[in-house]
Amino acid sequence: MKKSFFYTLSLVCICSFSIHAQTIAPDDTALTLKELVKVKQQLKKNLTDPKQNKIAIIQRMLELGSWNEALNAISSYKNPTQPIELLSADYLMLNNDFKGAEKIVNKVLKQDSKNEKAISLLVALKVQAWLLPEAATICEQFLKTKGSEKIELMLGRVMLLQKKYEESLKIAKKVIATNPKSSDAYLLEADVYFWDQHPELAEAPLIKSLEINPYNADARFSYGYAIWRRIDATQLNAMAAQWEIALAINPLHFQTNWHWGNGHTNLTYADYAEKNDEEVRKALSKADDFVKANKINEAIAITRSVEKQYPNSVLPLMHRGSIYYIAYSLNQKDRLDSAEHIFRSILARKAHYGPAHNGLAAIIKAKRIPYLSVYDSISNQLNTTKITDPVNFARVFPDVNYYPGNQVKAMIWNQLFTAVVYFPFLSKQNNAFQIPALHNDLAIAMNSPSFRFNTTFDNRQWMDIRGVGSGAAAIEYVEKGAYLERNVVLHEYVHLFHGRVLTDAENRKIRSLYYNAMNEKRTLDYYSQNNESEYFAQTYPAYFEPIKVHPNDFKSMNTTNDLKTKDPNMYMFLDQLVKKERAYLAGDHKVMASNWAQVYLNLSNRARQSSADLAVKYLDTALTYDKNYLPVYLAYSQLNIEANKMDIAEEWLKKAQEVSSKYAPIYVSYANLYAAKFSKYLISQQDAVVAQEKYLKQSQQLEDDYQEGAKVNSLLRELYRKNGMIAKAIAVAEDYGKNGPSVSTYLRDRKDDAVAYAATLIAALGYNESVATLKYLIGQKPQNFEYRNMYADALIENNQFNDAIETMNEAQRILAASGNARLDYTLRIAEANALSGNTTSAVDLIPELIKGNAKLKDNDRLRLVRLLLNNNELKSARNIFNQIKSLNEPFYLADYDYTNGLLNDKEGNKTQAVSLYKSAIVANPYLFKAYNSLINSYTASGQLKEANELKATISTLKIIP
């Protein structure tokens, strides 16, 4: 009776709080947090009331994150009863001490084998050990003798992890039918929808779950994640608000910490950066030297010394926590406890600092891994791993020596399978794969500041992401992947050889398989659906891996069986690819001859700017591997175009046609050839346009690859724009924006690019409605910095100067935080200020623009000349203009002549100015500024008839077909 009474009281206590909170809407996060504080305070008060059920109160404290108070209350029992001991086990599990919890649970079960609370904890422990069949059996045996909603839902969750989605959903629905107030049942239902690739169905049960119990960390995380899955950047604050609550309930909630530390954030690098960050990092670099020498204590001492020197910086703490994480020679519990304390203290000082969230998630996982049932066997395997290609391994993974001992090397090697075959191909190209420590972001690891201000296709911030296909997977991924979690090392490594080593035919085949898988709904997961790169990087590891443990999310669980059953065509492709890899590793190097041709093509493309002769030599070598590798023929043609050897360039294209006349890129190269002939004044503009249009449309008709088709559409609209055929350029772009394929994120981005392209051209003609189009795109992709330029240009063209300044300043703030402020942004800010009448602000920026003008593109330098003329800085304007090249490209030439006309006008050369304005209009009939300047010149000289004729011309041109 005692146990039953305790359980009933616990439910009463919990339900009373749920009923109290039912009026809180899930999206009212401010009220939820406010009420949570009140509930915690009331629990603390009730704990001192002898009339209250202390066991139920302590249970609720543990559930709501009041862990210290709960622990103190538990510790106050000198002779703990079973319920108190089980609360102690609860506390240990929340803090990832599963072995400690296991001892307590086993002790209780020896005394009472049917104790429901102990059984539920035992099931949770079996799940942590990834003994799912055992966990399911325990649930089923208990349910045979006694009904239990809690155990039934635990069985449903075990089935979810076993991918038995129908059975899991059936249990959730059954519990809901019996108890419509079961928040956990609605949560299970939502999770089934997520994992079974139906996220659109998950939100309704999540909302229901939170309406019943607003203080469930799992539900709060899932709802925040559901908001993020809407892929709407304007809702990132709403996502973050849900996760605030999740961490207020459970500060060690793994999924929330992991996601917040891996790019899912509403913050930007401007929220992270401090002025002295680089100075602090430089001082801390000495610690890394000690880590490499396995002198951990000395390294930690350096971090403490730097911390004293820079007490306001969190970087020394971040560095120290990172060192503790990989200090394998130290006592595991001590080093992980120290690191956890450090990362939590950082978050207390710097709210939602992504690296600290990620560090905390890494520590949580490091504490959990040793409890896996496979831990000992895998650890023994790592200890005996032999790297058979140490030279190329060291070249491709140059920074593994940072980590003490051989453990990290073994972990990486064991996760690559036959993909180690690509080492010599990557090594030849000096392609390296980085393993950043917890304190190093991708900007440091890849030596590329752009990672601090760019975002992914799905609105994640690269500043916090811990892996990239250009060659990096962080140390925490190495550890997790080694123990059968998602193999991110291989995933990112696949991206690397996919882009650097696979042949054109292999890449086209992967895209074809991806398009078919999407059409037939055969992709492994939602992440595979994004684009062909993620499709390949998800399926390749799945080919090798029969088991996955503790999937972090819905893209982390793919196995060999999943691949075979869901996407058999991709399995067959990978099977052939792996057979080729194995043959090469066994000594048959001919099987990858075409891959070597691609490698030497890459080297040639890289050498083109510095040495044309070397570029040719690389192409010659490529053909010794595969004499019919068509991309090499096209590269020969391009090199000869650049050398002004048009006849030889055309010969290479004819040779390519002899190999395969239906290879669509050949005709793109023909278009390039005729564009080059026009630029060198070898043919007329009309002949060039006709030829380019013909060849691009021919390529478009032959091309069955959507991605290549998108490139051709881009080239076609550029052809029209460059030649002043603005109406056609707009029509082509708008058509693609409406009718282009949208199967992948890449292709959806290309459609957005086309929409932005058309909107920018339309706005330049004075049509204000296209400004709203660009504003929408910026709202969805706030860190697409080229869209920012387009939007600002559209605003300026339509006299919305303050909005232009605001949008540029907003983006410049993010860029400046990482030391990457853009001069073209400064130019637009100055221009908008000048045109709005705020000449002082414009003048203040001019010295910076003059000093750095050589860094601007020529079209922006022309804008700068016009800005200087408006400011009457004639000498500087003339000096900069004389340095700008005149190109035989009508659209650009129109801008060039118009600017030159303004310059001559200011200098008093009125006749020359009129001639230049006319020339600009001929080159681009839609350059209305040139018309206006010419009208002013005619009016000033009394040529009113000519002025009126021009006004009439403008009115007809403003009607876009």
Side-chain angles (χ1 to χ4, degrees), residues 72-109:
N72 289 334
I74 292 168
S75 300
S76 69
Y77 288 83
K78 294 181 180 180
N79 297 303
T81 58
Q82 280 187 1
I84 294 296
E85 287 184 311
L86 291 174
L87 287 175
S88 182
D90 266 336
Y91 175 84
L92 292 172
M93 290 194 68
L94 285 167
N95 285 274
N96 302 294
D97 183 353
F98 302 125
K99 290 182 179 179
E102 182 183 359
K103 290 178 182 178
I104 295 171
V105 170
N106 287 339
K107 177 186 173 184
V108 171
L109 287 173

Side-chain angles (χ1 to χ4, degrees), residues 643-663:
N644 204 22
K645 298 176 181 178
M646 304 300 174
D647 291 342
I648 298 176
E650 190 163 5
E651 286 176 16
W652 277 105
L653 297 182
K654 289 177 180 177
K655 288 179 183 179
Q657 283 179 287
E658 291 173 5
V659 176
S660 175
S661 62
K662 295 186 181 298
Y663 187 59

Side-chain angles (χ1 to χ4, degrees), residues 632-651:
V632 173
Y633 286 51
L634 304 189
Y636 271 121
S637 177
Q638 186 59 37
L639 276 171
N640 281 288
I641 287 173
E642 292 168 6
N644 204 22
K645 298 176 181 178
M646 304 300 174
D647 291 342
I648 298 176
E650 190 163 5
E651 286 176 16

Side-chain angles (χ1 to χ4, degrees), residues 119-397:
I119 291 291
S120 69
L121 289 171
L122 180 62
V123 172
L125 287 166
K126 293 297 182 183
V127 169
Q128 285 298 331
W130 207 249
L131 296 170
L132 300 184
E134 289 186 27
T137 298
I138 293 167
C139 291
E140 288 164 351
Q141 288 178 345
F142 184 87
L143 292 170
K144 286 179 181 177
T145 60
K146 184 178 179 183
S148 168
E149 179 182 304
K150 183 179 182 65
I151 301 300
E152 195 159 11
L153 288 173
M154 292 191 82
L155 175 60
R157 195 152 291 279
V158 171
M159 288 179 168
L160 170 65
L161 295 174
Q162 291 177 310
K163 304 178 188 177
K164 298 177 180 179
Y165 301 126
E166 290 185 9
E167 295 95 323
S168 182
L169 184 61
K170 185 178 179 181
I171 287 174
K173 293 286 192 181
K174 176 187 173 185
V175 172
I176 290 169
T178 305
N179 178 15
K181 295 297 182 182
S182 175
S183 63
D184 287 340
Y186 287 107
L187 176 58
L188 176 59
E189 179 188 3
D191 283 344
V192 171
Y193 293 141
F194 268 133
W195 289 68
D196 200 21
Q197 310 303 316
H198 297 291
E200 72 283 357
L201 300 177
E203 286 199 30
L206 273 176
I207 289 170
K208 188 70 176 175
S209 176
L210 286 169
E211 286 173 344
I212 298 168
N213 177 14
Y215 306 132
N216 184 314
D218 291 334
R220 285 293 171 183
F221 161 75
S222 291
Y223 190 40
Y225 182 83
I227 292 170
W228 176 77
R229 282 290 295 273
R230 297 169 186 168
I231 314 299
D232 181 350
T234 63
Q235 297 190 50
L236 291 176
N237 286 338
M239 170 203 77
Q242 295 297 329
W243 290 354
E244 287 270 8
I245 299 170
L247 292 180
I249 298 166
N250 180 355
L252 295 182
H253 194 266
F254 175 75
Q255 286 177 298
T256 305
N257 278 294
W258 185 89
H259 281 80
W260 217 322
N262 280 265
H264 306 72
T265 178
N266 59 334
L267 304 180
T268 69
Y269 195 72
D271 300 297
Y272 287 0
E274 304 294 343
K275 290 182 179 179
N276 62 355
D277 279 350
E278 293 312 309
E279 185 181 335
V280 178
R281 286 192 178 102
K282 186 177 180 181
L284 287 166
S285 65
K286 297 175 184 177
D288 286 334
D289 294 335
F290 282 118
V291 172
K292 290 175 186 175
N294 203 12
K295 296 181 179 179
I296 302 302
N297 291 331
E298 290 88 339
I300 290 170
I302 291 290
T303 68
R304 295 189 189 281
S305 174
V306 175
E307 184 180 14
K308 289 178 182 178
Q309 190 178 355
Y310 300 97
N312 294 323
S313 175
V314 299
L315 296 182
L317 282 169
M318 193 69 217
H319 212 104
R320 187 154 68 249
S322 174
I323 293 171
Y324 277 127
Y325 173 66
I326 52 96
Y328 302 115
S329 60
L330 301 183
N331 176 272
Q332 185 185 56
K333 184 180 186 308
D334 290 344
R335 67 181 176 86
L336 294 180
D337 283 349
S338 295
E340 178 183 319
H341 173 77
I342 289 168
F343 293 131
R344 292 180 72 171
S345 69
I346 292 173
L347 292 170
R349 287 173 54 179
K350 196 161 189 166
H352 301 310
Y353 181 56
H357 275 297
N358 177 64
L360 187 53
I363 297 305
I364 293 169
K365 186 57 67 173
K367 288 185 172 185
R368 291 179 176 182
I369 284 173
Y371 196 70
L372 289 171
S373 62
V374 295
Y375 178 75
D376 289 339
S377 61
I378 290 176
S379 295
N380 290 334
Q381 183 184 358
L382 291 172
N383 290 334
T384 57
T385 293
K386 184 179 180 180
I387 295 172
T388 56
D389 186 5
V391 174
N392 281 312
F393 178 76
R395 288 175 181 168
V396 177
F397 291 89

Side-chain angles (χ1 to χ4, degrees), residues 869 874 878 899-914 916-917 937:
L869 288 174
L874 188 57
R878 170 55 71 184
T899 305
N900 198 8
L902 293 175
L903 193 52
N904 275 275
D905 232 341
K906 282 280 189 179
E907 291 172 336
N909 304 321
K910 303 297 182 182
T911 302
Q912 179 67 9
V914 167
L916 288 164
Y917 294 147
S937 294

Side-chain angles (χ1 to χ4, degrees), residues 204 296 399 477 500 663 687 813 822 870:
I296 302 302
D399 64 349
Y477 278 135
R500 307 295 200 282
Y663 187 59
D687 288 345
R813 171 180 172 268
R822 288 177 56 154
N870 286 338

